[in-house]
Amino acid sequence: MSIWWSLHLRREAASVPLARRLLLGTMETAGVDPDISYDLSVALSEACANAVEHGGDTAQGGFSEGYRVTAYLDGEKCRIEVADAGPGFPAGAGARSRLPARQAPSDAEHGRGLCLIQELADHVRIDTAPGRGGAVVSFDKILKWRENAPLIAV
């Protein structure tokens, strides 16, 4: 079984629950275990919130005033990518599967989103989009299925 979808969303707080509900609905329909779905939906919410807050207003790469969310459920894995047109990550700040060198204190109200994504996903990649700038956060998680899942991979 393979399912994918992509959304171009405005950089508005209301876009975050929209992306989350679409992901949860897709996973429920496919028969993904609810705990896995929940973890991925929280990680997606964090990535979307970062894009809304830091995504930039430039028209680079066709994401003017918005950001893109793409989700792939392919076999036993789900990959989610959130891309925006913001400033991206500073050079040496932790691209390619490492967290940014600067991490927020545990009692901070902001700045822990990437750490949370790292805890909830099996593999995380943060980078600056080549050729156009902007941040790209992608993460994978191995899927588990409910018993008698309707769209389980065979």
Side-chain angles (χ1 to χ4, degrees):
M1 178 237 355
S2 183
I3 299 172
W4 74 272
W5 50 260
S6 187
L7 300 170
H8 183 185
L9 299 165
R10 289 190 158 275
R11 287 186 48 235
E12 299 171 351
S15 69
V16 177
L18 173 65
R20 182 178 175 141
R21 283 192 299 265
L22 181 57
L23 179 68
L24 285 169
T26 301
M27 293 191 163
E28 181 180 357
T29 300
V32 175
D33 178 84
D35 291 337
I36 299 294
S37 297
Y38 178 78
D39 287 353
L40 283 168
S41 72
V42 171
L44 174 62
S45 295
E46 291 296 330
C48 289
N50 283 345
V52 168
E53 185 171 347
H54 305 291
D57 292 324
T58 61
Q60 299 174 6
F63 299 120
S64 177
E65 299 181 25
Y67 64 102
R68 185 193 64 211
V69 176
T70 305
Y72 306 90
L73 279 78
D74 190 17
E76 296 298 316
K77 180 172 71 172
C78 178
R79 167 168 284 167
I80 297 172
E81 180 179 285
V82 178
D84 64 47
F89 293 97
R96 302 189 194 281
S97 302
R98 295 186 306 272
L99 293 175
R102 183 184 63 87
Q103 294 183 16
S106 61
D107 60 346
E109 290 187 26
H110 299 289
R112 295 190 320 255
L114 292 175
C115 294
L116 184 55
I117 294 168
Q118 181 79 20
E119 290 298 316
L120 294 169
D122 295 328
H123 178 262
V124 178
R125 178 180 168 137
I126 58 172
D127 214 341
T128 299
R132 67 165 179 82
V136 179
V137 176
S138 63
F139 49 96
D140 301 338
K141 190 159 183 86
I142 301 298
L143 297 175
K144 295 179 185 169
W145 302 94
R146 291 188 325 252
E147 200 171 309
N148 300 321
L151 297 179
I152 194 165
V154 288

